[in-house]
Amino acid sequence: MPVTQLVKPTIDIGVVTVNQDAMVNFYGNVLGFPALPDVPMEGFLVKRFQVGDCVLKIVQFENEPGGRSVAGGLGDSTGLRYWTVSVNNLDALLAAVEDAGQKIVEGPTEVRPGVRIALVGDPDGNLVEFVDRPIS
């Protein structure tokens, strides 16, 4: 039997920020992920968004963390560098990102016939990979 016994078949992603308003605007308004109820905790606030079956959590602490993550492209450092969202409207999504003044870090690039990818930076420089693939 596996050691990890899941009770939910998806993962939640937590992003700590000092720029919660800009992050909430980007994920909620620019990308259009539906907002879920906030979760206030002692010392921090969690803003949540539904991303398919997953939940994206944008966390801001009352006391600003002293460290910062390493910005840059995929191969610029180790660790969690990006997360992937599969879409069928990559061009419209990238236009909305550019219109909002956010950076398209890479792409769009066709990685195999009928499948294109692009990397987008959020307001904190975290990378989101969008994969445009045929609907299956």
Side-chain angles (χ1 to χ4, degrees):
M1 178 184 337
V3 174
T4 304
Q5 297 179 13
L6 299 178
V7 296
K8 178 181 173 183
T10 63
I11 64 170
D12 295 349
I13 298 169
V15 178
V16 175
T17 186
V18 295
N19 196 16
Q20 196 169 52
D21 290 342
M23 295 285 277
V24 165
N25 180 63
F26 179 73
Y27 287 106
N29 296 325
V30 176
L31 298 182
F33 295 145
L36 297 170
D38 293 350
V39 179
M41 305 287 282
E42 187 173 331
F44 61 97
L45 175 63
V46 181
K47 299 278 193 173
R48 301 179 313 140
F49 295 92
Q50 192 72 52
V51 183
D53 291 335
C54 298
V55 175
L56 172 63
K57 301 182 283 188
I58 306 297
V59 180
Q60 184 158 341
F61 287 86
E62 290 173 7
N63 296 320
E64 186 173 313
R68 296 290 184 269
S69 63
V70 178
L74 290 182
D76 291 344
S77 67
T78 60
L80 182 60
R81 300 300 303 151
Y82 68 100
W83 56 289
T84 302
V85 179
S86 297
V87 300
N88 66 359
N89 65 336
L90 184 62
D91 294 325
L93 188 143
L94 294 178
V97 167
E98 285 186 319
D99 289 347
Q102 291 305 128
K103 185 176 181 182
I104 297 173
V105 177
E106 186 178 313
T109 305
E110 186 171 45
V111 293
R112 59 184 180 272
V115 178
R116 297 183 310 140
I117 66 169
L119 285 170
V120 170
D122 72 13
D124 281 359
N126 301 299
L127 297 176
V128 183
E129 175 187 50
F130 290 98
V131 179
D132 192 337
R133 65 180 85 220
I135 298 174
S136 51

